[in-house]
Amino acid sequence: MSIEGLKYTGIGDKNRSYFDKMLYDDKPAEAGDVLRVGLIMDGAAAGAASVTFEEETESVLLGSFFIAPPFRREGLGRELLSRMEDEVALYASGIEAEFTSKSVGMAEFFTQMGYAVSEGYPIYSMKVSDFLGNRRMITFTMKTKSSHDFTPFSGMTSEERYSCYDRLFDEGVFITEDNTDGLLLEYSGIIKGEDGEDICMICRESEDTIILSQLIRFGEGFSTEFTEALLTFYSAIERTEGRYENIAIVMANPKVVGVLPTLLGDKFPHEVTQSYRAVKAL
Protein backbone atom coordinates (compact mmCIF):
# COMPACT_ATOMS: atom_id res chain seq x y z
CA MET A 1 0.00 0.00 0.00
CA SER A 2 1.58 3.28 -1.09
CA ILE A 3 -0.77 5.80 0.56
CA GLU A 4 -0.61 6.14 4.32
CA GLY A 5 -3.91 5.54 6.12
CA LEU A 6 -5.54 3.83 3.11
CA LYS A 7 -7.29 0.50 3.57
CA TYR A 8 -9.14 -1.82 1.18
CA THR A 9 -12.29 -3.73 1.95
CA GLY A 10 -14.63 -6.06 0.16
CA ILE A 11 -18.19 -4.75 -0.01
CA GLY A 12 -21.01 -7.07 1.05
CA ASP A 13 -24.35 -6.96 2.81
CA LYS A 14 -22.83 -5.87 6.13
CA ASN A 15 -21.07 -2.73 4.87
CA ARG A 16 -22.89 -1.98 1.59
CA SER A 17 -24.75 0.99 3.12
CA TYR A 18 -21.47 2.89 3.67
CA PHE A 19 -20.71 2.78 -0.06
CA ASP A 20 -24.21 2.88 -1.59
CA LYS A 21 -23.87 6.41 -2.98
CA MET A 22 -20.68 5.38 -4.80
CA LEU A 23 -22.05 2.22 -6.43
CA TYR A 24 -24.12 2.34 -9.61
CA ASP A 25 -25.07 -1.33 -9.96
CA ASP A 26 -28.51 -2.29 -8.68
CA LYS A 27 -27.77 -5.93 -7.93
CA PRO A 28 -28.19 -7.26 -4.38
CA ALA A 29 -25.17 -7.19 -2.08
CA GLU A 30 -24.87 -10.98 -2.15
CA ALA A 31 -25.02 -11.29 -5.98
CA GLY A 32 -22.44 -13.82 -7.13
CA ASP A 33 -21.65 -12.19 -10.48
CA VAL A 34 -20.55 -8.85 -8.98
CA LEU A 35 -17.27 -8.04 -7.25
CA ARG A 36 -17.08 -4.83 -5.20
CA VAL A 37 -14.08 -3.16 -3.60
CA GLY A 38 -14.12 -0.18 -1.25
CA LEU A 39 -11.50 2.28 -0.04
CA ILE A 40 -11.34 3.55 3.52
CA MET A 41 -9.18 6.57 4.30
CA ASP A 42 -8.69 7.63 7.90
CA GLY A 43 -11.88 5.81 8.88
CA ALA A 44 -14.08 7.31 6.15
CA ALA A 45 -15.47 5.71 2.99
CA ALA A 46 -13.26 7.25 0.30
CA GLY A 47 -14.11 5.32 -2.86
CA ALA A 48 -15.65 2.22 -4.37
CA ALA A 49 -15.61 0.18 -7.55
CA SER A 50 -17.54 -2.81 -8.84
CA VAL A 51 -17.22 -5.17 -11.78
CA THR A 52 -19.78 -7.51 -13.33
CA PHE A 53 -18.79 -10.92 -14.67
CA GLU A 54 -20.44 -11.83 -17.98
CA GLU A 55 -21.00 -15.42 -19.06
CA GLU A 56 -20.27 -14.81 -22.74
CA THR A 57 -16.87 -13.15 -22.36
CA GLU A 58 -13.67 -13.63 -20.42
CA SER A 59 -13.56 -9.92 -19.62
CA VAL A 60 -15.45 -8.09 -16.89
CA LEU A 61 -17.20 -4.73 -17.04
CA LEU A 62 -16.29 -1.97 -14.61
CA GLY A 63 -19.79 -0.88 -13.62
CA SER A 64 -18.91 1.53 -10.80
CA PHE A 65 -15.82 3.61 -10.18
CA PHE A 66 -16.02 6.54 -7.76
CA ILE A 67 -13.72 8.52 -5.49
CA ALA A 68 -15.39 10.80 -2.94
CA PRO A 69 -14.69 14.51 -3.67
CA PRO A 70 -12.65 15.17 -0.47
CA PHE A 71 -10.19 12.42 -1.45
CA ARG A 72 -9.62 13.23 -5.10
CA ARG A 73 -6.28 14.24 -6.67
CA GLU A 74 -4.40 12.15 -4.10
CA GLY A 75 -3.79 9.07 -6.23
CA LEU A 76 -6.66 7.05 -4.77
CA GLY A 77 -8.18 6.45 -8.21
CA ARG A 78 -5.03 4.68 -9.38
CA GLU A 79 -4.85 2.69 -6.17
CA LEU A 80 -8.49 1.60 -6.43
CA LEU A 81 -8.29 0.58 -10.09
CA SER A 82 -5.01 -1.28 -9.55
CA ARG A 83 -6.52 -3.20 -6.63
CA MET A 84 -9.61 -4.07 -8.69
CA GLU A 85 -7.40 -5.27 -11.55
CA ASP A 86 -5.50 -7.54 -9.15
CA GLU A 87 -8.79 -9.01 -7.90
CA VAL A 88 -10.20 -9.46 -11.40
CA ALA A 89 -7.01 -11.13 -12.70
CA LEU A 90 -7.82 -14.12 -10.48
CA TYR A 91 -11.02 -14.78 -12.44
CA ALA A 92 -10.85 -13.07 -15.86
CA SER A 93 -8.42 -12.20 -18.63
CA GLY A 94 -9.45 -8.58 -19.14
CA ILE A 95 -11.37 -5.61 -17.84
CA GLU A 96 -13.51 -3.07 -19.71
CA ALA A 97 -15.02 0.30 -18.82
CA GLU A 98 -17.58 2.52 -20.53
CA PHE A 99 -17.99 6.25 -19.89
CA THR A 100 -18.89 9.50 -21.62
CA SER A 101 -17.25 12.86 -22.22
CA LYS A 102 -19.17 14.16 -19.17
CA SER A 103 -16.60 12.30 -17.07
CA VAL A 104 -13.88 14.86 -17.61
CA GLY A 105 -10.37 13.42 -17.64
CA MET A 106 -11.44 9.77 -17.65
CA ALA A 107 -10.06 9.05 -21.14
CA GLU A 108 -6.65 10.36 -20.09
CA PHE A 109 -6.85 8.48 -16.77
CA PHE A 110 -7.55 5.11 -18.37
CA THR A 111 -4.89 5.71 -21.01
CA GLN A 112 -2.34 6.38 -18.28
CA MET A 113 -3.45 3.16 -16.57
CA GLY A 114 -2.58 1.15 -19.68
CA TYR A 115 -6.04 0.84 -21.24
CA ALA A 116 -6.81 1.05 -24.94
CA VAL A 117 -9.42 3.81 -25.19
CA SER A 118 -11.71 4.13 -28.23
CA GLU A 119 -14.66 6.34 -29.13
CA GLY A 120 -18.15 4.87 -29.24
CA TYR A 121 -21.29 6.69 -30.39
CA PRO A 122 -22.70 10.16 -29.60
CA ILE A 123 -25.49 10.15 -27.00
CA TYR A 124 -28.42 12.58 -27.23
CA SER A 125 -29.78 13.34 -23.74
CA MET A 126 -32.88 15.23 -22.63
CA LYS A 127 -35.41 15.54 -19.82
CA VAL A 128 -38.49 13.31 -19.98
CA SER A 129 -40.68 16.35 -19.22
CA ASP A 130 -39.19 18.28 -22.17
CA PHE A 131 -39.62 15.31 -24.49
CA LEU A 132 -43.26 14.68 -23.59
CA GLY A 133 -44.05 18.40 -23.69
CA ASN A 134 -42.38 19.08 -27.03
CA ARG A 135 -45.00 20.59 -29.36
CA ARG A 136 -43.43 19.22 -32.51
CA MET A 137 -43.47 15.72 -31.06
CA ILE A 138 -47.06 16.06 -29.84
CA THR A 139 -48.18 17.24 -33.28
CA PHE A 140 -46.24 14.44 -34.93
CA THR A 141 -47.87 11.77 -32.75
CA MET A 142 -51.34 13.22 -33.39
CA LYS A 143 -50.85 13.14 -37.17
CA THR A 144 -49.27 9.69 -37.17
CA LYS A 145 -50.38 6.42 -35.69
CA SER A 146 -49.39 6.84 -32.03
CA SER A 147 -47.73 3.45 -31.87
CA HIS A 148 -46.89 1.01 -34.60
CA ASP A 149 -47.49 -2.69 -34.19
CA PHE A 150 -45.29 -3.19 -31.11
CA THR A 151 -44.94 -6.31 -28.98
CA PRO A 152 -42.81 -5.76 -25.86
CA PHE A 153 -40.74 -8.58 -24.41
CA SER A 154 -42.93 -8.38 -21.31
CA GLY A 155 -45.96 -9.28 -23.45
CA MET A 156 -44.35 -12.34 -25.03
CA THR A 157 -44.34 -15.93 -23.88
CA SER A 158 -41.01 -17.32 -22.70
CA GLU A 159 -40.66 -19.21 -25.98
CA GLU A 160 -41.29 -16.07 -28.06
CA ARG A 161 -38.77 -14.11 -25.99
CA TYR A 162 -36.14 -16.86 -26.31
CA SER A 163 -36.67 -16.83 -30.07
CA CYS A 164 -36.03 -13.07 -30.18
CA TYR A 165 -32.90 -13.47 -28.06
CA ASP A 166 -31.62 -16.07 -30.53
CA ARG A 167 -32.23 -13.69 -33.43
CA LEU A 168 -30.47 -10.91 -31.54
CA PHE A 169 -27.49 -13.20 -30.93
CA ASP A 170 -27.16 -13.61 -34.70
CA GLU A 171 -26.91 -9.80 -34.90
CA GLY A 172 -24.19 -9.65 -32.23
CA VAL A 173 -26.42 -8.71 -29.27
CA PHE A 174 -26.18 -11.13 -26.34
CA ILE A 175 -29.26 -11.26 -24.07
CA THR A 176 -30.51 -14.15 -21.96
CA GLU A 177 -33.02 -14.46 -19.13
CA ASP A 178 -30.07 -14.48 -16.71
CA ASN A 179 -28.09 -11.71 -18.41
CA THR A 180 -30.36 -8.77 -19.20
CA ASP A 181 -27.86 -6.00 -18.28
CA GLY A 182 -30.51 -3.42 -17.36
CA LEU A 183 -32.86 -4.48 -20.18
CA LEU A 184 -36.38 -3.03 -19.82
CA LEU A 185 -38.78 -5.76 -20.90
CA GLU A 186 -41.80 -3.46 -21.15
CA TYR A 187 -39.99 -0.91 -23.35
CA SER A 188 -37.95 -3.34 -25.44
CA GLY A 189 -39.49 -5.56 -28.08
CA ILE A 190 -40.46 -6.01 -31.71
CA ILE A 191 -41.88 -3.28 -33.93
CA LYS A 192 -43.49 -4.40 -37.15
CA GLY A 193 -42.20 -1.87 -39.68
CA GLU A 194 -44.32 -0.37 -42.41
CA ASP A 195 -42.56 -2.63 -44.91
CA GLY A 196 -43.32 -5.71 -42.82
CA GLU A 197 -39.79 -6.13 -41.50
CA ASP A 198 -39.23 -6.76 -37.80
CA ILE A 199 -37.37 -4.00 -35.97
CA CYS A 200 -36.09 -4.81 -32.50
CA MET A 201 -35.94 -1.88 -30.08
CA ILE A 202 -33.64 -2.32 -27.08
CA CYS A 203 -34.15 -0.04 -24.07
CA ARG A 204 -32.16 -0.15 -20.88
CA GLU A 205 -32.09 1.82 -17.64
CA SER A 206 -29.39 3.46 -15.55
CA GLU A 207 -30.58 5.04 -12.31
CA ASP A 208 -33.16 7.72 -13.32
CA THR A 209 -32.43 7.46 -17.05
CA ILE A 210 -34.09 5.35 -19.73
CA ILE A 211 -31.75 4.59 -22.62
CA LEU A 212 -32.81 3.84 -26.19
CA SER A 213 -29.63 1.90 -26.86
CA GLN A 214 -30.19 -0.11 -30.05
CA LEU A 215 -32.46 -0.50 -33.06
CA ILE A 216 -31.90 -3.64 -35.11
CA ARG A 217 -33.63 -4.69 -38.31
CA PHE A 218 -33.37 -8.46 -38.25
CA GLY A 219 -31.33 -9.81 -41.12
CA GLU A 220 -30.26 -6.39 -42.40
CA GLY A 221 -28.22 -4.93 -39.58
CA PHE A 222 -28.99 -1.58 -38.00
CA SER A 223 -32.45 -0.22 -38.73
CA THR A 224 -32.99 3.20 -40.30
CA GLU A 225 -36.67 3.24 -39.30
CA PHE A 226 -35.97 5.59 -36.40
CA THR A 227 -39.21 7.58 -36.58
CA GLU A 228 -41.26 4.41 -36.11
CA ALA A 229 -39.24 3.46 -33.05
CA LEU A 230 -39.36 7.00 -31.63
CA LEU A 231 -43.17 7.00 -31.83
CA THR A 232 -43.30 3.69 -29.97
CA PHE A 233 -40.74 4.95 -27.46
CA TYR A 234 -42.74 8.16 -26.91
CA SER A 235 -45.96 6.21 -26.29
CA ALA A 236 -44.28 3.90 -23.79
CA ILE A 237 -42.78 6.79 -21.81
CA GLU A 238 -46.10 8.64 -21.89
CA ARG A 239 -47.85 5.64 -20.32
CA THR A 240 -45.27 5.44 -17.53
CA GLU A 241 -44.66 9.15 -16.96
CA GLY A 242 -42.87 9.80 -13.68
CA ARG A 243 -40.84 6.60 -13.70
CA TYR A 244 -37.76 8.21 -15.27
CA GLU A 245 -36.39 11.73 -15.20
CA ASN A 246 -34.00 11.58 -18.15
CA ILE A 247 -33.77 10.05 -21.62
CA ALA A 248 -30.62 9.04 -23.47
CA ILE A 249 -30.65 8.01 -27.13
CA VAL A 250 -27.55 6.30 -28.51
CA MET A 251 -27.01 7.68 -32.01
CA ALA A 252 -25.29 4.67 -33.59
CA ASN A 253 -26.85 5.51 -36.95
CA PRO A 254 -25.54 8.85 -38.32
CA LYS A 255 -28.98 9.57 -39.81
CA VAL A 256 -30.42 9.87 -36.30
CA VAL A 257 -28.23 12.94 -35.74
CA GLY A 258 -30.28 14.73 -38.40
CA VAL A 259 -33.68 13.22 -37.57
CA LEU A 260 -33.81 14.30 -33.92
CA PRO A 261 -33.37 18.07 -34.51
CA THR A 262 -35.96 17.86 -37.30
CA LEU A 263 -38.51 16.20 -35.04
CA LEU A 264 -37.78 18.09 -31.83
CA GLY A 265 -36.55 21.45 -33.17
CA ASP A 266 -33.13 23.07 -33.22
CA LYS A 267 -33.80 24.91 -29.93
CA PHE A 268 -35.01 21.86 -28.03
CA PRO A 269 -33.07 21.61 -24.72
CA HIS A 270 -30.68 18.69 -24.98
CA GLU A 271 -27.08 17.63 -24.52
CA VAL A 272 -24.89 15.58 -26.82
CA THR A 273 -22.02 13.65 -25.27
CA GLN A 274 -19.49 11.22 -26.69
CA SER A 275 -19.26 7.66 -25.37
CA TYR A 276 -15.95 5.86 -24.84
CA ARG A 277 -14.78 2.33 -24.18
CA ALA A 278 -11.59 1.38 -22.36
CA VAL A 279 -10.14 -2.14 -22.49
CA LYS A 280 -7.15 -3.76 -20.79
CA ALA A 281 -5.82 -7.32 -20.87
CA LEU A 282 -4.82 -8.69 -17.48
Side-chain angles (χ1 to χ4, degrees):
M1 186 182 301
S2 59
I3 299 178
E4 186 177 353
L6 181 65
K7 297 180 180 180
Y8 299 99
T9 181
I11 301 176
D13 55 352
K14 292 184 179 180
N15 63 349
R16 172 72 183 262
S17 61
Y18 294 104
F19 298 96
D20 263 344
K21 293 183 179 179
M22 303 180 188
L23 295 169
Y24 309 131
D25 65 83
D26 57 0
K27 296 190 177 184
E30 66 277 8
D33 58 347
V34 178
L35 173 66
R36 303 180 181 94
V37 172
L39 288 184
I40 299 175
M41 186 71 173
D42 298 329
S50 68
V51 295
T52 302
F53 294 86
E54 305 290 354
E55 293 181 0
E56 76 281 8
T57 177
E58 295 182 356
S59 295
V60 298
L61 179 65
L62 186 66
S64 305
F65 186 78
F66 187 86
I67 301 297
F71 300 98
R72 293 176 183 172
R73 301 186 183 280
E74 297 181 13
L76 269 66
R78 292 182 176 82
E79 291 287 336
L80 178 59
L81 187 56
S82 295
R83 180 55 179 254
M84 181 58 83
E85 290 172 356
D86 291 342
E87 297 286 342
V88 166
L90 299 174
Y91 311 98
S93 60
I95 185 169
E96 303 177 12
E98 297 174 351
F99 56 96
T100 71
S101 52
K102 293 179 68 174
S103 301
V104 179
M106 288 300 283
E108 292 79 7
F109 170 74
F110 279 108
T111 298
Q112 292 172 2
M113 293 295 293
Y115 285 71
V117 179
S118 58
E119 286 190 355
Y121 299 112
I123 300 173
Y124 191 103
S125 303
M126 68 198 88
K127 295 287 186 182
V128 167
S129 56
D130 290 333
F131 182 58
L132 294 181
N134 181 269
R135 292 190 176 185
R136 287 173 176 251
M137 199 64 202
I138 293 173
T139 301
F140 185 54
T141 55
M142 291 177 64
K143 290 182 177 180
T144 313
K145 187 165 59 174
S146 60
S147 177
H148 289 271
D149 185 5
F150 175 63
T151 304
F153 287 145
S154 60
M156 298 179 185
T157 65
S158 296
E159 291 75 14
E160 290 171 333
R161 202 157 51 242
Y162 294 151
S163 176
C164 286
Y165 294 165
D166 287 342
R167 296 173 75 185
L168 285 171
F169 183 79
D170 292 338
E171 301 293 338
V173 180
F174 187 85
I175 298 174
T176 68
E177 293 290 278
D178 298 324
N179 178 31
T180 56
D181 190 23
L183 179 72
L184 295 172
L185 296 178
E186 64 270 45
Y187 290 88
S188 305
I190 300 298
I191 304 168
K192 187 67 69 175
E194 292 181 344
D195 58 3
E197 293 289 340
D198 285 345
I199 302 166
C200 187
M201 180 168 71
I202 303 295
C203 295
R204 305 181 187 276
E205 66 178 348
S206 177
E207 299 183 330
D208 62 354
T209 301
I210 178 170
I211 306 166
L212 176 51
S213 63
Q214 289 168 300
L215 292 175
I216 297 171
R217 181 188 293 271
F218 284 131
E220 297 184 15
F222 191 89
S223 170
T224 59
E225 301 296 336
F226 179 71
T227 53
E228 295 180 26
L230 193 63
L231 283 171
T232 303
F233 187 63
Y234 183 95
S235 298
I237 293 177
E238 195 174 34
R239 290 195 302 271
T240 57
E241 185 175 1
R243 180 171 173 181
Y244 297 100
E245 182 178 346
N246 301 299
I247 294 170
I249 298 176
V250 179
M251 298 187 292
N253 189 328
K255 292 184 178 180
V256 174
V257 179
V259 171
L260 279 171
T262 300
L263 288 175
L264 302 176
D266 294 333
K267 296 183 180 180
F268 178 75
H270 69 280
E271 180 180 32
V272 177
T273 54
Q274 177 66 47
S275 64
Y276 291 89
R277 182 170 176 262
V279 181
K280 183 178 182 179
L282 299 175

